[in-house]
Amino acid sequence: MRATENLKIKIVLFIIIYFLMPLGYSPAPAEVKLKSSVPGLCYECHRELKEKLSSPAVHFLFREGKCLTCHNSHAGNVKGLMDDVNSVCIGCHEKIRNLLKSQSVHSPLRDDLCTKCHYPHSGNYTNLLVNAEKDLCIGCHENIEAQMDKPYGCSPFKKGQCSSCHNSHGSSEEFLLISAPNKLCRECHAPRCRAGEVSIVSEVAVSDCTSCHSGHGSQIKGALGPYGHKAFLDKECSQCHNPITPGSRITTKKEGEGVCLDCHKKDDSQLKYVSSDIHVKDAKNSCVVCHDSHASGKKSFTASETKICSGCHEKTERNTAAMEKALKSVGCAPVKNRKCFECHIPMHSDRPLNYRDDEIAMCVRCHESQHKVTHPVGPNIVDPRSGGPVTCNSCHSMHAARADFMLTADRNRALCIQCHRM
Amino acid sequence: MKKSVFITGTVLISILLICGKFADAGTYLSSAHGNSTYGVKRTASGFPDYTKGLCAHCHEMHASIDGSEPLPSSGGPSSFTLFYSNHVSQTDNFCFQCHKDAGAYQSGGSIINRSYSYRAGGWNADTVNDTLESFSFTSPDTSHYLDDIRTFITGRWNYTADSNPCNACHNPHAAQGDPANAPGSAKTSGSRGYPVSRPSLHSSNDNNSWGLWGDSAGEKMSDYTSGYQAPYRFNSVVTYEPDGSTTQNGTNLTDYVTYCTDCHNNTNTISSTPLARNLNTFSWSNEKHGSGTADNNTPVGEPDTCSNIFAPYQSATCGTYVLACTDCHEPHSSPNLFLIRREVNGSTGSTVTVDSGTGSGPSGDPNTEWINLCNKCHDIAISDARHDHPATVPGGDAGCSSTTCHGPIGDEYRLCTECHKHGNNLIDAVAYGDYLF
Amino acid sequence: MSMKTLKYIVILLAVICTPADYGNTAISGACSTCHTMHNSQGGSAVATYGASGQPWKGTGPYDALTLGGCLGCHGSGAASNIDPVTGAPQVYHSSASADLAGGNFAYVLGTKGSGASDNKGHNVIDLGNLDNTLTGALAGPPGYHAPVSNFGSTLNCAGARGCHGIRSSSGGVKGAHHKNTSGKIDVADQTYNSYRFLYSVMGYENDGQVSASTKWQNFDASNHNEYFGATAPVVYNGDCTGLCHVAPIGSGGIKVSNNTMSGFCGTCHRAFHVINQLDNSQGIGDDTTSPFLRHPTDVILPNSGEYASYTAYNITIPVARTTVPSSMSSTVTPGSGTAVMCLSCHAAHATDNDDMMRWNYRSSTLSAAISGCNVCHTSRN
């Protein structure tokens, strides 16, 4: 009996020790004796870094010699013995980490490395920028540079102070603006909008300034445009509007789209007008659903798709966002940049999903080489899943792809065997 | 210690010797054609530099080489994948594409092949030096007639109408040079090869079954219990055929009797185009020059053709000798009738001339030239040739007066061969009672 | 459950789970291993290798949207006779591993063996090495039949002017890899069920039953492909129709009427194969008996003379079976069911020897030069 009792105790002890030992036991860390201390030890090899300590702008961790805050001493996943560059940066830069959740995230931050714009250790410019702010931005936004020489424009812009209006990392506003244009502009400009001699400040109090004014530069006084209705730019308001009088609402000469179609006659050879389109059938003026009526940053006068499309197509936007998060990259520029009108032109196309063109041809506009060599597509190639023709969209999804190359399934096999069942 | 070294060395040497035996080349690689040093080697425009002895020197597996036809352009395609027609005529044969002394496809442009009298008899005055030349002899000179050979062998021993008549006697994949690689020399005991294969063994397409004849025990003239005496070499009384050594009992000579009598016997009918008749049949088992007992059928007082015999043949054993066919005949051709050799038994004094059958003998008498041959072994003068005939011979003992035996014109003799020929035991349909030869 | 019962269950499971379907070796795995939809892979140009365009360095696109031409998979640069990544048999490889049964195209370019030579193999265009002889004045393959324009100046692995698959620009081996059958091949009415995709050819493919690592090889006497032969070659009577071109000429189908390996070779090298009763310009002769004008193929190995001694299968000189076998055999039976064939002497792809010979017929050592001949001609040594 006594022996049995002892055995039970031993078994219980064994179980306890067996399961608890891995949890609680760890050997005391051994004392690592470095040849010399950090950062001196690092500088023994990385001598050029030590010289950079004298730069005008120096990252404080670097200055303080805390090399190991960012770098592993032995191995890393990427060059520089780090696990991942961006992860290291936003590990500390919490604000920027939060901005990653913004509606708009600057593509270098989203798709590239922080080091595309910033030096990690030291530099000559504030915020360790790799170049002067103006030059850094224009380096990518080349088309903006031409506006700098325009006679009229936003003062910070002309000085190259981009960050006065834009948050270079992310924003909930379009164009990475620090705040809504209406609010942002008023920080410097008190509204002085007039139609002829009549002030219309009250009429435009809630308007987006950029619907008439360029935030950058323009040939027209008041920085109107840069693109706009000729009548507007010529200040011929009466061409569309009834006479504007102080204290009265501004009205158009004709109701609805009629005011537009007087001049913009239907021309099916180019862009037809589909009055039954769901997007406009309840609109007062179907044209202004998408188009700016006065000025625009775009030749087509189209409004920002992020404003007008995603408002209704929330699911598509969610899917797109999820896709962007899931995939290594989204190669379709219009999708990536939310240029919905590049592919969809409601009111001007009665094709499915208001496609601008034939589904295949539309992709070919950009993906010419991919179309030159491709899996058979076209009206004569039947998709066994749908019975319809095989198109680019048979394999690729623009808004809900689940696999690389915006494919609906893994290209290695899963995608193929949906049709090619052996 | 020394003993152990000796034993070990002996064992090792024995092993090497045994292994060396096993490593011996096969029948083809030991043949003249398949010799890697002096074997067949075709040279022609467009023909690759294949190693000597390779099949392609004779056979084109696809009737072309590397997709084109090397010279001779008229050569393909040919039976047995040969590069030229197997047999066309007496002087147009695949073998002659190389076996000639000028314009041959064999590297160097010629292959020299000497007569048996040259090679075995040591008679180096013979100017015949290639096989094509040999087979070009026409009447009154004689060659083994190739068309007739082919006709004869067709249907026999697995030969067909497509067979090359040369192959009746030679296995091209086994035949050795004799002497080997010394076409301009007479044989020596150190340069012997074995050139022939028995036609009757050509029963299957097996190079080993249809191997060489004469290279093994049981294939020698010495096997005849009645005894073989080798003739002298040319102009010698101390050396013997076929290799100029002192061997004279046939241990070094192929059993050409067995070999030749595969065809030339007393049962086969062989049609001869040049003679416009069938060849005489004979039994070498019974012939006096063969295994038959030679006797002296000459009347008393007449020269004893057996006893009066020249060396190296001995009167004492005169009746038992078995002669090899090649002792008197060339295998390929001769300027004489019936392929009779120009050099026989040393040919001391003169060469044998039996080229027309109407020429002069030693004494200038017409129609007695066969004495030129017989006299190389038998001591018979022309006068002796006028021998009396046995009573059984028509004309009785009338001797030379009988026109049965002698010509109608004066003293002109009838040809010896009218009576003295292989297989003749009949004269004028009357049994003579014995073989004259 | 008793131990005995347990044992039976284990044995039963083992039997059930043992893969036994050697007959179906259709390709499997990731499609992207072989195919690319837009002539790029991972966004980059399709992988190419080889200096100076050899062994292949195409720009694509390739038929069936594959990553490369035939050598793209079957000459991938793997350091083995089987690509360890894709499992594809390597008909071109420079490694020391054994050559597959068809040989190794690397010998043509000299990346393996004793040096480059056009003579060593079929100079398929994928090698990037046109045959200097055959594209010269001669043109056309050896033994070809007129008109030479049938052959052009290039030779492909598959499709038009190729060996594998349907011999047309739209044919090739399209889809065959996905349905491939292996082992006994006795249907041969489609590319996929033909011997090694040689349309209409029958045989027995070494499908790795003995050893997976020796699959596709003629490894030893009991582990090798079995080739299909006949007791007589096809008879050429002046009209190709019904002979090699069972399908009407021009329809894209060239089908061997007797389904033999040699007959297949004869579709290009006709002069080397057929029985020709018209003249001797082509063929082995007017029947199947000696003498032959050209070395016979699809003729029974006689059970007589020296041939009767070839009884143990020799992979250096393989022979064909006149009945499609159900398994590999280490024996040869002269006189019955065994035929000589083109591949008895030549390899289909390339060897280190001139004329694609299976042994060095041009060796300077005579015994070595005739060693292959001696396998059948056993007394010609």
Side-chain angles (χ1 to χ4, degrees), chain A residues 300-340:
Chain A
S300 58
F301 283 29
T302 47
S304 167
E305 291 96 324
T306 47
K307 279 184 181 173
I308 54 174
C309 300
S310 58
C312 294
H313 296 283
E314 289 177 326
K315 189 181 176 189
T316 301
E317 177 54 33
R318 277 201 307 275
N319 286 341
T320 306
M323 175 181 76
E324 289 175 321
K325 194 173 182 182
L327 304 186
K328 285 179 189 167
S329 67
V330 171
C332 182
V335 171
K336 191 164 63 176
N337 299 323
R338 301 296 192 272
K339 300 296 181 188
C340 311

Side-chain angles (χ1 to χ4, degrees), chain C:
Chain C
M1 188 185 294
S2 69
M3 279 304 290
K4 194 173 181 182
T5 309
L6 185 63
K7 195 185 295 179
Y8 283 135
I9 290 174
V10 169
I11 293 171
L12 183 63
L13 284 172
V15 170
I16 292 170
C17 296
T18 300
D21 186 12
Y22 289 102
N24 188 347
T25 55
I27 202 165
S28 61
C31 313
S32 57
T33 304
C34 300
H35 297 280
T36 175
M37 295 298 102
H38 299 297
N39 198 30
S40 63
Q41 186 76 340
S44 304
V46 174
T48 60
Y49 88 97
S52 306
Q54 295 176 347
W56 65 276
K57 196 172 184 176
T59 56
Y62 301 94
D63 287 346
L65 297 172
T66 50
L67 294 177
C70 297
L71 288 183
C73 283
H74 297 289
S76 63
S80 171
N81 52 19
I82 298 176
D83 188 321
V85 176
T86 64
Q90 299 298 292
V91 298
Y92 179 106
H93 68 94
S94 305
S95 76
S97 61
D99 300 326
L100 302 183
N104 189 341
F105 287 112
Y107 294 119
V108 175
L109 300 183
T111 52
K112 184 174 184 179
S114 58
S117 171
D118 290 355
N119 272 349
K120 290 184 175 180
H122 273 122
N123 285 237
V124 289
I125 195 168
D126 299 48
L127 293 173
N129 179 67
L130 289 179
D131 189 310
N132 290 330
T133 303
L134 301 185
T135 53
L138 176 66
Y144 75 91
H145 59 80
V148 71
S149 57
N150 281 347
F151 301 96
S153 59
T154 58
L155 176 65
N156 299 320
C157 300
R161 299 195 302 278
C163 290
H164 296 280
I166 304 295
R167 220 171 282 180
S168 73
S169 56
S170 61
V173 295
K174 186 178 180 182
H177 286 86
H178 298 285
K179 290 183 175 179
N180 182 30
T181 56
S182 191
K184 184 177 183 179
I185 304 293
D186 59 351
V187 180
D189 62 351
Q190 302 289 332
T191 297
Y192 74 85
N193 61 19
S194 294
Y195 180 84
R196 300 295 184 212
F197 296 162
L198 301 171
Y199 179 48
S200 75
V201 176
M202 296 180 178
Y204 183 96
E205 296 179 355
N206 184 353
D207 56 354
Q209 283 199 42
V210 175
S211 161
S213 65
T214 57
K215 189 178 181 181
W216 294 297
Q217 289 182 44
N218 285 343
F219 184 74
D220 61 27
S222 56
N223 182 6
H224 54 80
N225 290 325
E226 289 284 6
Y227 302 95
F228 182 55
T231 56
V234 291
V235 177
Y236 172 64
N237 57 11
D239 182 3
C240 299
T241 307
L243 185 66
C244 302
H245 307 272
V246 171
I249 297 172
S251 72
I254 291 180
K255 187 176 177 183
V256 187
S257 57
N258 64 359
N259 303 111
T260 68
M261 179 58 73
S262 296
F264 184 82
C265 302
T267 59
C268 286
H269 307 281
R270 186 176 69 193
F272 299 162
H273 173 66
V274 296
I275 285 177
N276 182 359
Q277 295 166 335
L278 298 175
D279 55 39
N280 62 6
S281 63
Q282 301 205 4
I284 63 169
D286 57 6
D287 57 27
T288 57
T289 56
S290 177
F292 296 105
L293 298 176
R294 296 169 177 86
H295 196 290
T297 51
D298 271 352
V299 167
I300 290 289
L301 186 72
N303 186 23
S304 61
E306 60 183 348
Y307 309 111
S309 299
Y310 183 14
T311 55
Y313 198 96
N314 184 329
I315 58 170
T316 303
I317 308 295
V319 289
R321 316 289 191 182
T322 55
T323 302
V324 179
S326 299
S327 61
M328 299 176 280
S329 171
S330 61
T331 59
V332 173
T333 311
S336 173
T338 300
V340 67
M341 60 173 177
C342 305
L343 296 188
S344 294
C345 297
H346 302 280
H349 293 160
T351 69
D352 199 19
N353 305 310
D354 273 0
D355 303 321
M356 305 154 67
M357 297 290 284
R358 289 186 177 274
W359 73 96
N360 186 4
Y361 191 61
R362 297 196 69 164
S363 169
S364 58
T365 303
L366 180 57
S367 57
I370 64 172
S371 60
C373 310
N374 292 153
V375 174
C376 293
H377 300 277
T378 58
S379 67
R380 299 292 204 278
N381 56 4

